[in-house]
Amino acid sequence: MIEFKGVNKWFDKLHVLNQIELKVQKGEVLVVCGPSGSGKSTLIRCINKLEPIQQGEIVVNGMSVHDSATNLTKLRTEIGFVFQQFYLYPHMTALQNITLAPVNVKKIAKAEAEKIGREKLDRVGLAEKADAYPAQLSGGQQQRVAIARGLAMSPEIMLFDEPTSALDPEMIGEVLDVMVSLASEGITMCVVTHEMGFAKKVADRVLFMDEGKIIETGKPADFFDHPQTERAADFISKILSH
Amino acid sequence: MLANFNFMVIFEYLPLFLSGLKSTFLISLVTLVLALITGIIACSMRISGIKTLQYPAIAYIEIMRSTPLLIQIYFLYFGLPSLGIVVPEIQTGIIALMLNSGAYIAEILRAGIKSVDQGQIEAGLSSGLNYVQRMRFIILPQALGVTVPPLLGQAIVMVKDTALLSLISVAELTRSGQTMTSERFMPAEAFLTVAFFYMCIYFCLKYLADWSQRKLIFREVY
């Protein structure tokens, strides 16, 4: 479903992605973790071409992401992206946020898009907030609207870039609950997160990155309990100690 | 102190002042519309990301902002005829003001567009919205709100700048004051009257600015 073939990326001299080889299967839930600056956000931002790459190839659903001949709009409609800072459109209601792309990109009739939108809002437990503006919602609610916005395009892949890192602790649970239920539905997910509970519960595979390289991958239980490398062990002990 | 002034003369010259006020108003209105168009074009060129459009826009904006308006007016007034282009004073004045205000408006618009969070643009990108759709649905609705007050501020500046056109003998409000001064030698009364009319225009625009701030601008409800 997603394949990285010898991907290299530099920000000026900083080698942010170093010879990445990775395959994500359909329906797989992949958790990416690692210290800040390790390239994990960049890794998933490359999947829908929010970032260019300098070497290698990324293939999603048979489409070469960074090939200029690829229909980028089609590619992006198949991939939902959830940001750390939510990035809802502040001048639109929750429902308008959700229906914007279905109506304008997928050309779904407005009434139909609103029906889907309300379903997705219900799905994330916010059916009654359809007409609320983002600023009237809590952080956790905003992030759930952002997830509903992604889902409304019926993507095959959902990417999450530290979806709970900007949230107050008491709101993390509500967002993770939504993500857990998504994972059980068979949608392919790549999640950059430090939420070990989430990783242990739903991840098929954990990927540990440092300095732009994939250091270690493994089943969550193996990775967290018996890390193979010293760097991973060090990282796990640090996120556990608080 | 006011007793030293002879305000009766002003009533005698009132038709002249009113016709000057009318000219100033019309010149301002026409210039404002043209400057807005110029500003939109210059701003679009500047943010286009295409170098052959970007560089001329930057050059234009920087030249206009770095030189005095009076010099620009004189340059067009004396320079154009020597290039064989003869334009009446009033058109020359409008072109100068349009070019000058257009540059400031371009920067105001650009600031408004840049004020929209890059993350929202990425959110639009990720859901497959194209450039025009991102502009129309995400950027412009938010950018326009924040640009209305500075645009009206620029309009106020521009109205007062039309006074400079009196120096190339355009019959506008300031020119009326100059005419009365030269005929009756009462500069204090004449220019006090002129100032009063500028203030009237200013307060109208200021009222509009305050109203727009309350009505037009989208504000986040915190």
Side-chain angles (χ1 to χ4, degrees):
Chain A
M1 183 124 242
I2 305 171
E3 189 174 4
F4 282 67
K5 297 176 189 167
V7 172
N8 280 288
K9 177 179 173 63
W10 289 265
F11 283 133
D12 289 322
K13 286 192 178 135
L14 183 68
H15 202 163
V16 274
L17 292 181
N18 190 338
Q19 206 57 33
I20 301 290
E21 300 283 346
L22 174 67
K23 268 187 189 174
V24 183
Q25 303 300 327
K26 191 173 169 61
E28 187 174 0
V29 177
L30 176 75
V31 164
V32 184
C33 62
S36 75
S38 60
K40 52 195 194 303
S41 287
T42 309
L43 181 87
I44 70 161
R45 286 167 58 86
C46 286
I47 298 174
N48 70 347
K49 207 180 173 186
L50 282 179
E51 299 282 350
I53 57 173
Q54 277 83 40
Q55 254 177 37
E57 190 185 18
I58 301 171
V59 180
V60 175
N61 254 353
M63 292 181 275
S64 177
V65 177
H66 294 81
D67 183 344
S68 56
T70 298
N71 182 344
L72 199 56
T73 305
K74 180 172 184 295
L75 175 85
R76 283 176 170 157
T77 56
E78 292 175 12
I79 304 172
F81 200 104
V82 175
F83 297 87
Q84 183 179 353
Q85 303 287 348
F86 338 130
Y87 295 133
L88 294 180
Y89 313 126
H91 57 301
M92 297 181 191
T93 63
L95 188 62
Q96 287 167 339
N97 263 277
I98 295 169
T99 57
L100 180 68
V103 169
N104 292 287
V105 180
K106 287 189 127 182
K107 310 291 179 197
I108 295 174
K110 193 158 176 257
E112 173 68 12
E114 284 184 353
K115 187 171 150 271
I116 297 171
R118 287 182 194 279
E119 276 168 26
K120 301 302 175 192
L121 272 176
D122 190 37
R123 174 82 188 66
V124 298
L126 291 171
E128 78 287 5
K129 297 290 187 186
D131 298 320
Y133 283 92
Q136 296 165 322
L137 301 172
S138 71
Q141 290 171 331
Q142 288 189 52
Q143 191 60 298
R144 285 188 281 156
V145 172
I147 293 172
R149 177 171 69 178
L151 292 175
M153 297 290 276
S154 342
E156 296 180 41
I157 300 166
M158 283 290 282
L159 306 174
F160 295 83
D161 186 6
E162 304 206 30
T164 57
S165 301
L167 297 175
D168 291 338
E170 75 269 23
M171 293 173 183
I172 292 175
E174 61 191 68
V175 172
L176 289 179
D177 286 345
V178 170
M179 291 169 62
V180 167
S181 76
L182 274 182
S184 65
E185 282 174 16
I187 194 164
T188 309
M189 290 168 66
C190 296
V191 186
V192 174
T193 185
H194 294 158
E195 293 296 332
M196 305 236 306
F198 173 79
K200 281 184 178 164
K201 202 163 169 183
V202 297
D204 295 308
R205 196 154 47 121
V206 177
L207 186 151
F208 175 71
M209 286 183 75
D210 194 16
E211 293 175 348
K213 289 185 203 141
I214 297 176
I215 306 292
E216 204 174 319
T217 63
K219 297 245 171 254
D222 298 339
F223 174 76
F224 288 115
D225 298 336
H226 311 287
Q228 303 295 307
T229 59
E230 205 176 304
R231 264 188 284 182
D234 185 44
F235 175 76
I236 292 165
S237 74
K238 274 182 188 148
I239 58 171
L240 273 182
S241 65
H242 64 232
Chain B
M1 184 187 109
L2 281 175
N4 297 334
F5 294 151
N6 179 1
F7 284 103
M8 292 316 286
V9 183
I10 290 160
F11 290 105
E12 195 182 315
Y13 276 85
L14 204 54
L16 180 67
F17 282 119
L18 289 179
S19 98
L21 177 67
K22 193 179 150 206
S23 309
T24 291
F25 180 77
L26 288 177
I27 291 170
S28 303
L29 200 66
V30 171
T31 307
L32 191 62
V33 172
L34 294 175
L36 263 177
I37 296 168
T38 313
I40 290 169
I41 294 170
C43 173
S44 316
M45 284 167 69
R46 173 137 198 200
I47 61 170
S48 65
I50 303 164
K51 284 192 173 124
T52 46
L53 294 176
Q54 232 170 343
Y55 288 149
I58 292 172
Y60 155 67
I61 290 167
E62 293 304 331
I63 289 168
M64 288 298 146
R65 285 170 22 120
S66 61
T67 54
L69 173 58
L70 185 57
I71 308 297
Q72 295 162 14
I73 293 172
Y74 278 156
F75 175 77
L76 289 178
Y77 184 63
F78 296 111
L80 286 184
S82 63
L83 291 172
I85 306 165
V86 182
V87 193
E89 294 88 4
I90 190 158
Q91 272 94 320
T92 310
I94 288 174
I95 292 169
L97 284 172
M98 169 196 91
L99 290 174
N100 183 272
S101 261
Y104 287 95
I105 289 174
E107 288 296 272
I108 290 170
L109 295 176
R110 190 168 71 100
I113 287 169
K114 278 180 76 174
S115 74
V116 177
D117 199 323
Q118 182 64 28
Q120 289 179 41
I121 297 164
E122 288 191 345
L125 274 173
S126 326
S127 53
L129 295 168
N130 64 31
Y131 180 80
V132 174
Q133 290 168 333
R134 293 195 304 275
M135 270 288 170
R136 177 168 159 214
F137 298 117
I138 302 171
I139 300 170
L140 290 183
Q142 297 182 69
L144 289 183
V146 298
T147 44
V148 170
L151 279 180
L152 282 164
Q154 177 59 29
I156 290 168
V157 170
M158 204 262 317
V159 169
K160 291 185 292 176
D161 283 347
T162 58
L164 289 174
L165 300 191
S166 64
L167 295 170
I168 57 168
S169 53
V170 173
E172 43 67 75
L173 189 53
T174 305
R175 190 73 181 171
S176 315
Q178 289 169 350
T179 307
M180 181 180 143
T181 303
S182 62
E183 288 176 15
R184 296 293 180 91
F185 198 69
M186 290 181 164
E189 289 86 344
F191 290 116
L192 206 60
T193 312
V194 168
F196 169 77
F197 283 120
Y198 279 113
M199 274 174 73
C200 291
I201 301 180
Y202 166 77
F203 280 112
C204 290
L205 283 170
K206 188 172 147 57
Y207 178 80
L208 205 62
D210 292 345
W211 177 83
S212 72
Q213 202 131 23
R214 286 197 309 272
K215 291 281 171 182
L216 299 178
I217 297 178
F218 160 75
R219 259 179 312 217
E220 288 183 67
V221 202
Y222 285 103

